């Protein structure tokens, strides 16, 4: 595991924050993969962003892909015990931003690539960008997969599952409701359309849709919350107490089960917005616009990808996870995919993020079994 820790130390040292240029960390991964004899393809994303697709072994389609993202969430406003971008070991844990989500798996990918000589079937690797803000990079990369490394038979996305095999997660759609009213003096407030009032009624519509989903929507007992959800996260509007606000915005999200498409939920919310604006009278507008989305994952327990994962991670259980991943994008392209990686997402996105060393050891062991399988042992 020492080589994996060496890679992890380097990877954590790159402050590869989401929505910032990531050239340094991608350069490092490309250097390691090139030295390992991989065929490396850099996929440009614009604004200083790029990702990597790489393959070791026979050319063409087939084999197994390992996938992870290089971006990490910010540390601003968090109180860390040490520099979040310097790997620190304490007992049986190592601390640093991204150790769990998900540079631990990336480090294991790199050390596995360095051991992967003489394969009968190809090992493929994907390093994407900006997963944390809506999986922006992976769709661009998947558009290039056939012309670069070739479509794999199966994919393992290494988000932290405690080395259990995750078959499913909900899809997510981020949206914004924009309310337009009329500015005016607050002394004459009843003569104007208050955009915050429209926004408040839209919040009520979101709550009503959530109640409907909890009562009548599809259910999946594999999730802690077994139905689709609607969540309002941010509401903004108004400039001064004595001015009737003419604009308000609500940022909200839908997390839908695979058995329940987002389209029906969005249609009901759009109908509610139209009704709210209509009842407010002339000068009122309430529009809903999509910001971003990623698909859910619903891999069948009998899938070849599940059989592969069980073979290389013996004893692992089958679970579903509450957080989203890039796995849904692979599955949507017809690539059988599971999520299985080291660490616990409960440690991610918070101060003093860490990963247990035994989790990294289990991941290294899983990828070594995969290497042997691809070599025909």
């Amino acid at each position: 595991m020492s080589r994996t820790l060496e890679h992890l130390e380097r990877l954590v040292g790159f402050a590869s924050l989401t929505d910032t240029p990531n050239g340094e960390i991608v350069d490092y991964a490309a250097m390691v993969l090139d030295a390992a004899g991989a065929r490396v393809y850099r996929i440009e994303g614009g604004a200083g962003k790029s990702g990597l697709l790489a393959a070791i072994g026979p050319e063409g389609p087939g084999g197994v892909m390992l996938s992870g993202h290089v971006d990490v969430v910010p540390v601003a406003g968090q109180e860390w015990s040490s520099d979040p971008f310097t790997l620190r070991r304490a007992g049986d844990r190592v601390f640093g931003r991204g150790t769990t989500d998900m540079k631990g798996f990336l480090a294991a990918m790199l050390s596995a690539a360095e051991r992967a000589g003489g394969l009968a079937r190809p090992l493929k690797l994907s390093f994407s960008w900006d997963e944390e803000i809506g999986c922006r990079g992976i769709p661009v990369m998947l558009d290039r997969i056939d012309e670069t490394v070739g479509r794999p038979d199966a994919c393992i996305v290494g988000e932290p599952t405690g080395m259990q095999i995750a078959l499913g997660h909900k899809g997510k759609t981020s949206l914004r409701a924009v309310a337009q009213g009329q500015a005016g003096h607050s002394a004459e407030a009843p003569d104007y359309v208050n955009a915050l009032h429209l926004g408040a009624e839209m919040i009520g519509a979101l709550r009503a849709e959530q109640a409907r989903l909890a009562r009548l929507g599809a259910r999946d007992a594999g999730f802690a919350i077994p139905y689709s959800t609607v969540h309002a996260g941010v509401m903004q509007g108004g400039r001064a107490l004595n001015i009737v606000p003419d604009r308000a915005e609500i940022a909200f999200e839908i997390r839908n089960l695979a058995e329940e498409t987002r389209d029906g939920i969005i249609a009901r919310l759009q109908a509610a917005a139209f009704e709210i604006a209509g009842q407010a009278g002339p000068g009122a507008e309430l529009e809903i616009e999509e910001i971003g989305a990623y698909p859910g994952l619903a891999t069948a327990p009998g899938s070849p990808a599940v059989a592969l994962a069980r073979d290389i991670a013996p004893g692992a259980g089958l679970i579903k996870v509450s957080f989203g991943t890039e796995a849904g994008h692979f599955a949507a392209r017809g690539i059988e995919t599971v999520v299985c990686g080291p660490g616990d997402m409960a440690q991610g996105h918070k101060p003093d993020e860490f990963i247990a060393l035994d989790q990294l050891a289990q991941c290294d062991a899983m990828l070594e079994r995969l290497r042997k399988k691809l070599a025909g042992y």
Side-chain angles (χ1 to χ4, degrees):
M1 190 174 63
S2 60
R3 187 60 175 154
T4 296
L5 283 175
E6 289 174 8
H7 287 310
L8 183 55
E9 182 174 23
R10 292 295 304 275
L11 293 173
V12 168
F14 298 111
S16 52
L17 299 176
T18 294
D19 208 22
T20 64
N22 65 1
E24 289 185 336
I25 190 170
V26 173
D27 287 345
Y28 176 75
M31 177 191 69
V32 173
L33 293 170
D34 184 68
R39 301 180 296 280
V40 182
Y41 303 87
R42 193 165 190 140
I43 312 299
E44 299 296 337
K49 309 288 183 56
S50 61
L52 296 177
L53 291 171
I56 300 174
E59 296 189 22
V64 177
M65 174 162 280
L66 305 176
S67 180
H69 60 85
V70 302
D71 60 306
V72 297
V73 296
V75 299
Q78 296 184 342
E79 295 186 7
W80 284 70
S81 300
S82 58
D83 179 2
F85 300 110
T86 299
L87 191 70
R88 173 174 64 89
R89 181 169 179 170
D92 60 355
R93 300 172 175 176
V94 286
F95 294 78
R97 173 56 88 221
T99 47
T100 284
D101 186 14
M102 59 176 302
K103 291 180 176 180
F105 187 72
L106 297 184
M109 286 170 60
L110 291 175
S111 59
E114 291 176 322
R115 301 191 304 271
L119 300 181
R121 297 168 57 207
L123 173 66
K124 299 174 179 179
L125 305 101
S126 168
F127 295 75
S128 68
W129 72 89
D130 283 1
E131 185 271 350
E132 296 287 2
I133 50 175
C135 300
R136 292 182 179 177
I138 200 64
V140 179
M141 296 175 63
L142 287 173
D143 285 343
R144 302 282 308 279
I145 196 167
D146 291 321
E147 67 186 75
T148 54
V149 297
R151 186 176 298 263
D153 294 324
C155 176
I156 300 172
V157 175
E159 293 278 8
T161 64
M163 295 306 298
Q164 304 303 300
I165 302 165
L167 308 184
H169 62 71
K170 297 175 182 178
K172 177 183 173 181
T173 304
S174 302
L175 305 108
R176 177 168 48 234
V178 180
Q180 294 285 353
Q182 301 165 316
H185 197 291
S186 62
E188 300 171 341
D191 291 339
Y192 301 95
V193 176
N194 188 317
L196 277 175
H197 291 179
L198 297 176
E201 291 191 46
M202 192 65 219
I203 292 283
L206 297 177
R207 295 184 66 186
E209 177 62 19
Q210 176 63 94
R212 180 192 180 280
L213 292 169
R215 188 176 70 257
L216 302 174
R219 302 187 80 82
D220 186 334
F223 292 98
I225 298 176
Y227 45 82
S228 300
T229 60
V230 178
H231 160 72
V234 179
M235 183 174 180
Q236 297 174 320
R239 292 186 294 274
L241 181 58
N242 60 352
I243 301 175
V244 177
D246 61 355
R247 181 181 175 87
E249 292 188 8
I250 302 163
F252 68 99
E253 68 175 26
I254 297 168
R255 292 185 182 256
N256 62 290
L257 296 172
E259 299 82 358
E260 185 164 45
T261 67
R262 67 189 190 128
D263 297 342
I265 300 172
I266 294 173
R268 288 191 294 273
L269 293 174
Q270 287 175 330
F274 182 80
E275 182 178 357
I276 290 167
Q279 291 177 346
E285 296 180 15
L286 185 54
E287 301 288 339
I288 294 174
E289 57 189 49
E290 184 175 317
I291 301 171
Y294 59 73
L297 178 69
T299 301
S303 159
V306 176
L308 168 71
R310 292 184 120 164
D311 191 27
I312 62 175
L318 302 183
I319 63 171
K320 294 183 178 181
V321 293
S322 61
F323 54 87
T325 77
E326 295 173 333
H329 281 287
F330 283 96
R333 305 290 181 114
I335 301 169
E336 295 283 348
T337 305
V338 297
V339 184
C340 183
D344 184 341
M345 190 58 89
Q347 307 305 327
H349 295 211
K350 62 174 57 174
D352 290 343
E353 179 181 348
F354 71 84
I355 192 167
L357 294 177
D358 76 296
Q359 285 283 299
L360 288 175
Q362 288 181 51
C363 185
D364 278 342
M366 177 182 77
L367 297 188
E368 177 61 14
R369 294 186 195 101
L370 175 62
R371 183 194 69 80
K372 291 180 177 179
K373 192 173 186 68
L374 293 176
Y377 293 175

